[in-house]
């Protein structure tokens, strides 16, 4: 039962615990990184390097009054935050961490993730609508439009990878990158996917559903305590998921770069997987530090007029090349 | 130094006086007016309210050079004023201050009113900006304006009893009944603040859609203080907007009537609380002119230097929050580093940071400290390069450009309509800067440019301010290199205590010493308006002295008040996100709006 193999209880527990811990710790990482990039310190008081800040924040958020506004739709209001947590956590089930480390080898892994991402959009929409607050309403309207359209580009951009590897199974996609990572043949797909995943996790510059300067806190204006905490941590799990996906799909997952070290060791695999993922996480934070927010209609037209054609052309060319090679 | 300049300005004014007064006499007949002499020589004419609109229209449209802008409307409660020599009988006076930029002259029009008959025709048909000014006069004095579309309180809460700037209205809480807030009153006050679209003539729906009404504020991350904009939204499109101010009203003008001339200086700091000592300047300049105090050269240069430091500090905060409101989170932190350097310099000179209250009537509080120039030199050497870096970060960013170009644009004529001054006016391509066109405090001796832009949109308003920071740095460098030696205050009897040795020797000097310490200066009766180019536009102080130790009436014309009024005009039809960009580009401070 305590073997290291896909789907064993030990691995499942470790992944679930690891994902939640790392996501919570990402809050600290983001604040410290932003501090570095913005000429200030960031949280550095609780514990060494301020690492205990997350624990203190958790205490605070757990002990806060769990308030439901009297004018809200109570049931939906309470159901909405867990949806985003659950959907994104479920997505991690198909992420291959290292050889033999993962929760399930689903042959439709990629589709599973896209499906879960679609469901997560409900959380944001329902949360906003149930709040019965005008700012929340504006936020969830923006979220609905943004997430639904960027899912389209996200899906299309991934098809190139699927065509090259011939499978939806993420573990097999990693295996098929032994000869070369997909970042080279699928560079444009990577760009589209990276942008779309920022939009999916609604972080700056695409944080329109919660644009503080415009609509206060958007869809989670009325949320506090642990319900807010779930949206908050959900966002960071989303960042982790998007970074892990970029690693798995375009950067060879657990495979070492340039053949450094052993290829199929579990420890080395976990190390490379984590390292690559963290690089993308830092990239997410850097974007937040650097880029201003486009307007709602600019965001939409950028998606439909730039990203959609780009991903379609990428798909066409990939198909043509495969056809040509096959012939 | 400035003698010749001041003289030429005065001479110019005297010519304009005859020009505009002569033209008005010729057009409307001499009997229609009463001419009043004032301390600064500004042409002041009393007229009948029946002819007000004709005169305003004539001055704005037909008279050459035309008076483009209605700078201010205010009122004076004349009922307990003693020194009114040569002025028509009046219980209340409504005062209109018009300014001509092309002719570089002003005119002040006054209407005498009697207690039982307090109404004047509204000037909105000539200048839309009259709207808020008239509401303010109604709120503060109970004078009504015929034809005003929505004459309701603007600064005081809607439930307020009485009119605060009347002389019989108490000035402090201890003169009133103790205040208590029980549940009933609280409910009443809250429901009075509820936004009711019908009161503003707004429809609940159009043919195709139902509107949403959204309270943006009084507490909202992007309104920079306590300011409410009630929005009529069609989806995310702003159909109409009603700015609601007054949440920051502290009765600064009423306090002016209670404090002595001298002790009011710290209050001025807090009007535009980002402008610091720059707020002191028009106030002390007005008093100096009324008392005939000549300010030493060193004082003028010190004042200019500190004002320009505060301009930089204020513009830096604007620049950072502008980027932040557009979603760019980092620039403000870098700019706060520079702002901190500015405040360190200010602190080492004045002892205070944001509100040093450091200018005095006739001088400044202390001389510059030893070694004052080191930090300043370091700052002027490094700051322009930092600004270039920010340009690359913010102004060259394509998303910022997309968000701000063509958004919230108005042209020069619209700026005149709405009383928009300062960088907001210069962004439309109209070059007029108080420092250049009516130099005060020795600005004529400095070499600097007045930056302008073309389109008058959000981007241009920001660009003008950035260039102003560069020019301010130039001015500071010149101050640094040419700081004159000499006293830091004038030895005028009204402002400085007598020389200690004299006070020890003869009784007259001792009495003078005693009076100037206990009362402060006694200012001769008269009226004066002094303006400066403040951080946000034209800031004027209109002081009425009745020959006492304090002001009879203190009127503070602030630029932000007029700018906020234009928000609906320039933002209707845009999206909520654009409205945020527009609000961010205006650069207002609520304390400056509400006073």
């Amino acid at each position: 039962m305590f073997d290291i193999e896909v789907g064993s209880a030990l691995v499942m527990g470790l992944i679930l615990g690891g994902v939640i811990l790392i996501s919570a710790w990402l809050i600290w990482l983001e604040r410290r990184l932003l501090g570095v990039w913005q000429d200030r310190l960031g949280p550095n008081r609780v514990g060494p390097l301020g690492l205990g800040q997350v624990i203190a924040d958790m205490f605070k958020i757990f002990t806060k009054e769990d308030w439901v506004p009297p004018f809200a739709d109570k049931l939906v209001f309470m159901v909405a935050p867990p949806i985003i947590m659950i959907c994104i956590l479920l997505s991690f089930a198909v992420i291959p961490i290292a050889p033999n480390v993962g929760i399930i080898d689903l042959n439709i892994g990629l589709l599973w993730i896209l499906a879960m991402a679609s469901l997560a959009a409900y959380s944001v929409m329902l949360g906003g609508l149930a709040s019965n607050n005008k700012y929340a309403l504006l936020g969830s309207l923006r979220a609905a439009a943004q997430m639904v359209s960027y899912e389209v580009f996200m899906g299309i951009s991934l098809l190139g990878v699927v065509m090259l590897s011939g499978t939806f199974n993420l573990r097999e996609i990693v295996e098929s990158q032994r000869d070369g990572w997909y970042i080279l043949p699928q560079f444009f797909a990577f760009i589209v996917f990276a942008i779309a995943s920022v939009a999916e996790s609604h972080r700056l510059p695409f944080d329109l559903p919660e644009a503080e300067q415009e609509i206060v806190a958007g869809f989670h204006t009325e949320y506090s305590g642990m319900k807010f905490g779930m949206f908050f941590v959900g966002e960071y799990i989303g960042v982790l998921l998007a970074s892990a996906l970029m690693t798995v799909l375009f950067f060879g997952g657990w495979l070492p770069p340039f053949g450094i070290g052993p290829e199929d060791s579990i420890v080395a695999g976990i190390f490379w997987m984590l390292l690559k993922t963290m690089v993308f996480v830092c990239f997410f934070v850097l974007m937040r530090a650097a880029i201003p927010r486009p307007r709602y209609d600019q965001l939409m037209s950028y998606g439909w007029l730039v990203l959609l054609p780009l991903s379609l052309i990428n798909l066409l060319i990939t198909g043509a090349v495969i056809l040509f090679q096959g012939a | 130094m400035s003698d010749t300049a001041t003289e030429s300005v005065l001479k110019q004014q005297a010519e304009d006086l005859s020009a505009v007064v002569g033209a008005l006499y010729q057009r409307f007949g001499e009997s229609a007016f009463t001419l009043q002499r004032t301390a600064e020589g500004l042409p002041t004419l009393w007229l009948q309210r029946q002819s007000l609109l004709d005169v305003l229209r004539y001055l704005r449209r037909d008279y050459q050079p035309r008076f483009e802008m209605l700078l201010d409307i205010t009122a004076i409660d004349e009922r307990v004023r003693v020194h009114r020599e040569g002025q028509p009988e009046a219980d209340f006076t409504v005062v209109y201050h018009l300014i001509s930029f092309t002719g570089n002259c002003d005119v002040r029009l006054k209407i005498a009113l009697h207690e039982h008959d307090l109404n004047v025709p509204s000037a909105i048909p000539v200048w839309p900006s009259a709207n808020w000014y008239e509401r303010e006069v109604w709120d503060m004095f109970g004078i009504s304006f015929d034809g005003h579309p929505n004459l309701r309180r603007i600064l005081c809460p809607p439930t307020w009893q009485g009119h605060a700037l009347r002389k019989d209205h108490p000035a402090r809480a201890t003169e009133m009944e103790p205040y208590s807030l029980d549940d009933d009153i609280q409910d009443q006050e809250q429901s009075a603040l509820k936004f009711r679209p019908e009161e503003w003539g707004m429809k609940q729906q159009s043919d195709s859609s139902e509107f949403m009404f959204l309270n943006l504020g009084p507490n909202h991350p992007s309104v920079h203080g306590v300011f409410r904009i009630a929005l009529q939204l069609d989806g995310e499109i702003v159909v109409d907007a009603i700015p609601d101010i007054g949440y920051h009203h502290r009765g600064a003008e009423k306090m002016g009537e209670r404090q002595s001339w001298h002790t009011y200086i710290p209050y001025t700091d807090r009007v535009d609380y980002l402008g610091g000592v720059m707020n002191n300047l028009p106030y002390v300049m007005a008093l100096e002119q009324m008392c005939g105090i000549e300010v030493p050269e060193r004082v003028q240069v010190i004042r200019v230097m500190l004002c320009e430091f505060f301009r930089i500090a204020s513009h830096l905060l604007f620049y950072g929050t502008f980027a932040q409101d557009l979603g760019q989170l980092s620039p403000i932190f870098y700019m706060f580093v520079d702002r901190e350097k500015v405040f360190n310099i200010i602190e080492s000179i004045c002892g205070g940071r944001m509100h040093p209250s450091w200018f005095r009537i006739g001088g400044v509080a202390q001389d510059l400290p030893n070694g004052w120039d080191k930090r300043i030199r370091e700052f002027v050497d490094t700051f322009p390069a930092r600004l270039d870096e920010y340009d690359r970060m913010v102004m060259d960013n394509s998303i910022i450009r997309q968000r701000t170009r063509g958004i919230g644009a108005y042209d020069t004529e619209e700026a005149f309509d709405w009383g928009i001054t300062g960088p907001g006016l210069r962004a439309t391509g109209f070059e007029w800067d108080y420092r250049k066109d009516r130099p005060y405090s020795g600005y004529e001796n400095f070499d600097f440019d007045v930056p302008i832009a073309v389109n008058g949109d959000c981007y241009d308003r920001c660009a003008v301010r950035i260039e102003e920071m560069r020019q301010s740095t130039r001015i500071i460098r010149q101050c640094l290199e040419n700081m004159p030696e000499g006293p830091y205050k004038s030895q005028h009897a009204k402002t400085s205590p007598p020389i200690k040795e004299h006070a020890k020797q003869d009784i007259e000097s001792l009495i003078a010493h005693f009076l100037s310490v206990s009362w402060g200066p006694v200012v001769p009766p008269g009226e004066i308006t002094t303006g400066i180019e403040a951080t946000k536009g034209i800031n004027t102080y209109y002081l009425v002295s009745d020959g006492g130790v304090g002001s009879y009436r203190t009127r503070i014309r602030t630029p932000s008040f007029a700018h906020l009024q234009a928000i609906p005009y320039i933002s209707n039809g845009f999206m909520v996100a654009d409205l945020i960009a527009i609000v961010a580009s205006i650069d207002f401070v609520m304390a400056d709006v509400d006073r």
Side-chain angles (χ1 to χ4, degrees):
Chain A
M1 186 179 173
F2 295 110
D3 305 333
I4 304 273
E5 62 182 55
V6 171
S8 77
L10 176 69
V11 169
M12 273 161 62
L14 283 178
I15 291 179
L16 184 69
V19 165
I20 293 180
L21 267 183
I22 291 176
S23 307
W25 175 72
L26 282 188
I27 300 172
W28 171 86
L29 179 75
E30 164 155 59
R31 293 178 63 188
R32 289 297 303 224
L33 280 180
L34 282 180
V36 169
W37 283 318
Q38 295 176 341
D39 262 4
R40 56 192 178 90
L41 289 171
N44 65 347
R45 294 304 160 103
V46 192
L49 296 172
L51 275 167
Q53 186 67 42
V54 176
I55 302 166
D57 284 348
M58 279 294 155
F59 267 116
K60 187 201 83 172
I61 217 161
F62 270 112
T63 50
K64 259 186 128 170
E65 184 186 356
D66 198 13
W67 189 69
V68 179
F71 44 79
D73 183 336
K74 290 200 176 46
L75 181 68
V76 184
F77 187 84
M78 291 199 281
V79 167
I83 294 180
I84 196 165
M85 283 275 279
I86 293 169
C87 287
I88 299 180
L89 280 178
L90 280 177
S91 302
F92 272 99
V94 295
I95 299 276
I97 309 288
N100 291 334
V101 181
I103 293 176
I104 187 170
D105 256 343
L106 211 53
N107 60 357
I108 51 156
L110 207 50
L111 292 181
W112 169 261
I113 282 177
L114 288 175
M116 285 299 137
S118 303
L119 281 178
Y122 277 101
S123 169
V124 172
M125 277 153 62
L126 291 177
L129 292 175
S131 299
N132 200 8
N133 171 308
K134 289 169 184 171
Y135 286 112
L137 176 71
L138 285 176
S140 57
L141 284 178
R142 287 176 172 197
Q146 172 178 331
M147 293 175 86
V148 168
S149 20
Y150 274 75
E151 245 159 46
V152 175
F153 324 131
M154 194 186 222
I156 296 176
S157 69
L158 294 183
L159 286 183
V161 172
V162 173
M163 285 161 78
L164 285 179
S165 61
T167 174
F168 280 109
N169 184 319
L170 289 171
R171 190 166 292 275
E172 287 170 21
I173 289 179
V174 173
E175 292 291 346
S176 70
Q177 294 183 65
R178 281 187 191 276
D179 306 328
W181 298 351
Y182 287 147
I183 176 65
L184 285 178
Q186 289 296 310
F187 180 72
F188 291 105
F190 170 70
I191 299 291
V192 174
F193 179 78
I195 294 172
S197 55
V198 177
E200 279 294 292
S201 52
H202 39 84
R203 285 176 52 88
L204 254 173
F206 297 154
D207 67 337
L208 283 85
E210 47 190 301
E212 190 201 350
Q213 287 82 12
E214 292 159 26
I215 49 175
V216 188
F219 63 90
H220 58 57
T221 303
E222 293 290 346
Y223 282 90
S224 65
M226 202 48 220
K227 291 207 234 13
F228 165 75
M230 276 191 257
F231 276 129
F232 195 55
V233 176
E235 182 184 317
Y236 286 91
I237 307 180
V239 170
L240 195 62
L241 176 70
S243 307
L245 272 177
M246 288 187 223
T247 309
V248 167
L249 295 170
F250 298 99
F251 288 84
W254 70 78
L255 299 172
F258 311 115
I260 304 167
E263 285 238 327
D264 290 313
S265 130
I266 289 179
V267 178
I270 292 177
F271 170 76
W272 287 118
M273 178 75 190
L274 263 181
L275 185 74
K276 293 175 190 173
T277 307
M278 279 306 149
V279 169
F280 291 114
V281 168
C282 294
F283 180 68
F284 267 88
V285 179
L286 182 59
M287 292 238 277
R288 179 168 172 192
I291 306 179
R293 182 189 304 119
R295 205 173 53 207
Y296 171 69
D297 57 322
Q298 289 166 349
L299 176 82
M300 298 307 273
S301 57
Y302 179 68
W304 291 104
L305 298 179
V306 179
L307 293 188
L308 182 68
L310 188 64
S311 51
L312 284 176
I313 291 169
N314 177 62
L315 196 61
L316 269 175
I317 294 176
T318 311
V321 168
I322 291 174
L323 209 63
F324 181 73
Q325 284 176 338
Chain B
M1 161 188 73
S2 65
D3 287 355
T4 48
T6 323
E7 262 168 34
S8 72
V9 169
L10 281 177
K11 203 173 152 209
Q12 175 71 29
Q13 274 178 350
E15 278 164 20
D16 295 335
L17 180 95
S18 52
V20 63
V21 171
L24 282 171
Y25 281 178
Q26 199 179 13
R27 173 79 181 239
F28 296 96
E30 197 169 339
S31 57
F33 301 98
T34 312
L35 184 66
Q36 183 193 339
R37 291 275 160 208
T38 54
E40 82 283 54
L42 197 135
T44 302
L45 287 167
W46 293 76
L47 67 156
Q48 297 297 317
R49 61 186 164 201
Q50 293 81 356
S51 55
L52 173 73
L53 282 187
D54 292 335
V55 171
L56 290 180
R57 268 198 204 100
Y58 169 70
L59 288 174
R60 169 149 204 204
R61 293 182 191 146
D62 303 331
Y63 177 71
Q64 284 303 329
R66 68 199 180 104
F67 284 83
E68 292 101 348
M69 193 178 283
L70 173 69
L71 197 65
D72 198 10
I73 301 179
T74 188
I76 305 168
D77 181 352
E78 306 268 11
R79 288 174 299 177
V80 293
R81 191 169 165 188
V82 182
H83 296 282
R84 298 193 70 249
E85 292 82 7
Q87 300 180 31
E89 273 300 302
D91 293 327
F92 288 88
T93 310
V94 181
V95 185
Y96 296 78
H97 187 138
L98 314 186
I99 184 166
S100 164
F101 294 116
T102 42
N104 203 10
C105 57
D106 292 13
V107 67
R108 192 190 282 135
L109 302 173
K110 286 184 165 187
I111 293 176
L113 294 175
H114 293 280
E115 223 166 329
H116 52 272
D117 182 24
L118 294 175
N119 66 77
V120 187
S122 167
I124 296 176
V126 194
W127 275 286
S129 63
N131 190 319
W132 277 18
Y133 287 110
E134 290 175 353
R135 279 176 66 191
E136 189 187 350
V137 171
W138 156 251
D139 190 1
M140 292 296 151
F141 292 92
I143 297 168
S144 64
F145 291 84
D146 295 340
H148 192 290
N150 217 325
L151 196 63
R152 61 179 67 233
R153 288 190 184 275
I154 187 166
L155 293 179
C156 288
T159 51
W160 193 259
Q161 299 294 316
H163 299 282
L165 279 179
R166 288 190 175 192
K167 288 288 175 186
D168 47 13
H169 194 281
R172 44 198 339 171
T174 46
E175 297 165 33
M176 302 163 86
E177 290 282 299
Y179 184 73
S180 68
L181 184 70
D182 60 29
D183 288 351
D184 286 344
I185 301 177
Q186 192 177 344
D187 289 347
Q188 230 175 317
E189 295 283 348
Q190 279 179 359
S191 76
L193 283 176
K194 194 170 152 53
F195 176 70
R196 292 178 186 80
E198 318 77 61
E199 289 179 357
W200 300 89
M202 288 174 162
K203 293 206 178 80
Q204 295 279 0
Q205 57 203 25
S206 70
D207 298 336
S208 54
S209 56
E210 196 174 331
F211 297 130
M212 178 164 90
F213 293 94
L214 181 67
N215 263 319
L216 199 85
N219 283 306
H220 185 280
S222 300
V223 293
H224 305 289
V226 274
F227 170 42
R228 177 166 79 158
I229 314 177
L231 296 177
Q232 185 184 28
L233 295 178
D234 181 5
E236 281 214 29
I237 309 281
V238 177
V239 180
D240 204 354
I242 304 289
D244 178 24
I245 63 168
Y247 296 95
H248 210 305
H249 180 59
R250 297 152 301 172
E253 293 181 9
K254 188 79 175 174
M255 287 181 209
E257 298 170 19
R258 203 186 69 201
Q259 299 295 324
S260 73
W261 292 112
H262 189 76
T263 58
Y264 188 61
I265 294 175
Y267 288 88
T268 61
D269 272 49
R270 285 144 182 87
V271 170
D272 166 10
Y273 56 68
L274 298 177
V277 295
M278 201 193 276
N279 294 288
N280 304 160
L281 190 56
Y283 180 72
V284 297
M285 282 197 315
L287 291 174
E288 283 156 10
Q289 206 175 335
M290 276 172 117
C291 300
I293 301 172
E294 278 288 324
V295 176
E297 262 187 45
R298 185 176 174 84
V299 172
Q300 289 194 330
V301 179
I302 295 176
R303 283 179 177 176
V304 165
M305 186 171 79
L306 280 158
C307 285
E308 294 307 319
F309 267 122
F310 268 104
R311 192 183 311 279
I312 291 176
S314 171
H315 282 3
L316 276 175
L317 185 75
F318 155 79
Y319 197 3
T321 51
F322 177 73
Q324 198 182 33
D325 285 350
L326 296 168
Q328 200 174 25
L329 298 183
S330 298
I332 190 162
F333 291 102
Y334 309 138
M335 289 164 196
F336 260 66
V337 173
D338 295 316
R339 197 163 170 264
E340 189 61 26
K341 288 179 193 153
V342 172
F343 277 135
N344 282 338
I345 292 169
I346 290 169
E347 191 183 7
S348 61
I349 293 175
C350 309
R353 287 163 63 85
M354 283 185 76
H355 313 127
S357 315
W358 196 63
F359 292 174
R360 295 288 183 273
I361 306 164
V364 292
Q366 300 110 12
D367 204 352
L368 294 173
N370 292 336
W372 59 275
D373 52 337
K374 185 166 167 286
R375 274 180 175 169
I376 298 178
R377 184 154 289 132
E378 217 172 85
F379 179 80
V380 292
D381 285 343
T382 55
F383 184 58
R386 300 268 296 188
L387 276 180
D388 294 343
E389 202 179 319
Y390 301 151
D391 270 356
R392 287 195 291 280
M393 195 187 318
V394 182
M395 301 307 278
D396 293 349
N397 185 299
S398 61
I399 297 179
I400 296 267
R401 284 171 183 231
Q402 277 178 28
R403 286 288 309 274
T404 54
R405 288 220 163 138
I407 305 295
Y410 49 78
D411 62 23
T412 311
E413 203 54 38
E414 290 167 314
F416 293 153
D417 277 349
W418 290 98
I420 295 170
T421 54
L425 175 62
R426 291 190 284 274
T428 65
F430 187 77
E431 190 179 331
W432 201 92
D433 188 309
Y434 225 105
R435 295 173 292 171
K436 209 55 155 182
D437 294 271
R438 295 184 189 178
Y440 54 89
S441 195
Y443 268 111
E444 67 274 17
N445 302 323
F446 290 92
D447 187 18
F448 66 100
D449 298 326
V450 178
I452 54 167
V454 185
N455 302 312
D457 54 14
C458 294
Y459 187 85
D460 282 2
R461 287 195 279 277
C462 184
V464 166
R465 289 193 177 90
I466 295 166
E467 194 48 39
E468 278 191 10
M469 286 195 266
R470 293 202 172 89
Q471 298 301 328
S472 293
T473 317
R474 263 177 86 185
I475 296 175
I476 291 171
R477 190 186 288 279
Q478 293 168 45
C479 294
L480 186 67
E481 279 155 12
N482 305 306
M483 181 63 73
E485 292 299 323
Y488 65 92
K489 58 181 179 182
S490 99
Q491 266 304 329
H492 192 282
K494 285 207 193 290
T495 172
S496 296
I499 297 162
K500 196 75 188 165
E501 292 309 311
H502 297 183
K504 281 177 177 170
Q505 297 299 326
D506 70 290
I507 187 71
E508 284 305 323
S509 300
L510 191 62
I511 291 173
H513 190 163
F514 181 76
L515 288 182
S516 78
V517 169
S518 55
W519 279 3
V522 175
V523 174
E527 296 177 19
I528 190 167
T529 299
T530 320
I532 61 159
E533 188 69 37
T535 56
K536 293 159 182 66
I538 295 180
N539 176 209
T540 69
Y541 275 70
Y542 172 41
L543 299 180
V544 178
S545 169
D546 204 19
V549 294
S551 155
Y552 184 80
R553 171 89 175 95
T554 304
R555 166 65 185 171
I556 310 169
R557 190 271 179 197
T558 55
S560 305
F561 183 83
H563 295 171
L564 287 200
Q565 196 181 178
I567 286 179
Y569 183 74
I570 57 178
S571 60
N572 289 357
F574 286 110
M575 299 180 84
V576 174
D578 296 326
L579 175 79
I580 302 302
I582 290 170
V583 167
S585 74
I586 288 178
D587 184 24
F588 57 86
V589 163
M590 282 321 286
D592 196 40
V593 177
D594 293 343
R595 286 153 281 131

